[in-house]
Amino acid sequence: MERVIVRQILYPALLAPPPTLVFSDQYAFRPTGSTTAALVSLLHSVTSLLSTNQYVIVIALDFSKAFDTVRHHTLLEKMAQLNIPDSIYNWLADFFDGHQHCSSYRRKMSALLEISASIIQGSAIGPASYVVNTGDLIAGTPGNSLCKYADDSYVIIPETNTDSRMAELQNIEA
């Protein structure tokens, strides 16, 4: 069921995103995405900027435990913006609801706690959900750009915007 929803509902919805979400700079977990496409895009951005700048700054970021930090309520807010049927949205909300965790140590078990963040890795819905979750991650300064591949992001800053480095990192952190 997950694969059907991803292939027939979510991926087509990514082709016509709402104005608040951008998927064209994410090259993983999409039917048209690939490592090669990400590298070509990154190199094209840098070489294009070098034609009018002496140098270009590329900041490589790897979000550790990226799938584990996705908050369900934030993800579902973004999913609600997509052009998908209400029944599919409700199915997704149900899919992410009701997961619990406990720990066991020396034959003692902790209480069950609700899991309100994380995408189940290995699920068919996980990668597409991650793409939706990062859809609002965009460069904060005009002239700068992002290239995203899975949980890796590259901030591309031309010489003319050198002073925007910290602002871009703060934008990404926010």
Side-chain angles (χ1 to χ4, degrees):
M1 183 59 142
E2 288 179 64
R3 292 187 202 294
V4 170
I5 288 173
V6 169
R7 290 182 186 146
Q8 294 183 10
I9 307 292
L10 284 182
Y11 282 155
L14 299 180
L15 297 174
T20 56
L21 300 175
V22 176
F23 303 120
S24 59
D25 60 356
Q26 172 61 267
Y27 294 93
F29 311 135
R30 300 185 55 196
T32 57
S34 67
T35 307
T36 302
L39 289 171
V40 167
S41 174
L42 181 62
L43 288 173
H44 175 74
S45 295
V46 170
T47 55
S48 295
L49 288 171
L50 284 173
S51 67
T52 57
N53 293 272
Q54 269 193 308
Y55 62 89
V56 174
I57 298 167
V58 178
I59 302 172
L61 303 168
D62 180 5
F63 297 107
S64 64
K65 307 242 183 226
F67 278 68
D68 295 337
T69 60
V70 174
R71 289 183 175 83
H72 295 162
H73 73 276
T74 305
L75 172 62
L76 290 170
E77 286 174 3
K78 294 173 188 179
M79 290 280 193
Q81 296 177 45
L82 297 176
N83 185 20
I84 59 175
D86 289 345
S87 59
I88 299 299
Y89 174 83
N90 292 336
W91 183 88
L92 289 166
D94 188 55
F95 179 85
F96 288 107
D97 187 41
H99 297 275
Q100 297 178 327
H101 175 79
C102 68
S103 296
S104 175
Y105 180 72
R106 292 189 176 180
R107 298 185 185 176
K108 296 197 183 226
M109 185 97 51
S110 69
L112 286 172
L113 293 175
E114 188 78 18
I115 296 175
S116 60
S118 83
I119 298 173
I120 301 168
Q121 291 190 45
S123 67
I125 201 78
S129 296
Y130 188 76
V131 168
V132 172
N133 191 62
T134 61
D136 61 351
L137 179 59
I138 57 172
T141 305
N144 295 351
S145 61
L146 284 176
C147 179
K148 298 180 277 192
Y149 185 80
D151 63 346
D152 297 321
S153 292
Y154 300 90
V155 184
I156 305 162
I157 304 172
E159 170 194 14
T160 55
N161 286 348
T162 298
D163 294 338
S164 69
R165 289 176 294 191
M166 288 309 297
E168 286 296 345
L169 292 175
Q170 289 168 347
N171 174 54
I172 290 169
E173 184 178 17

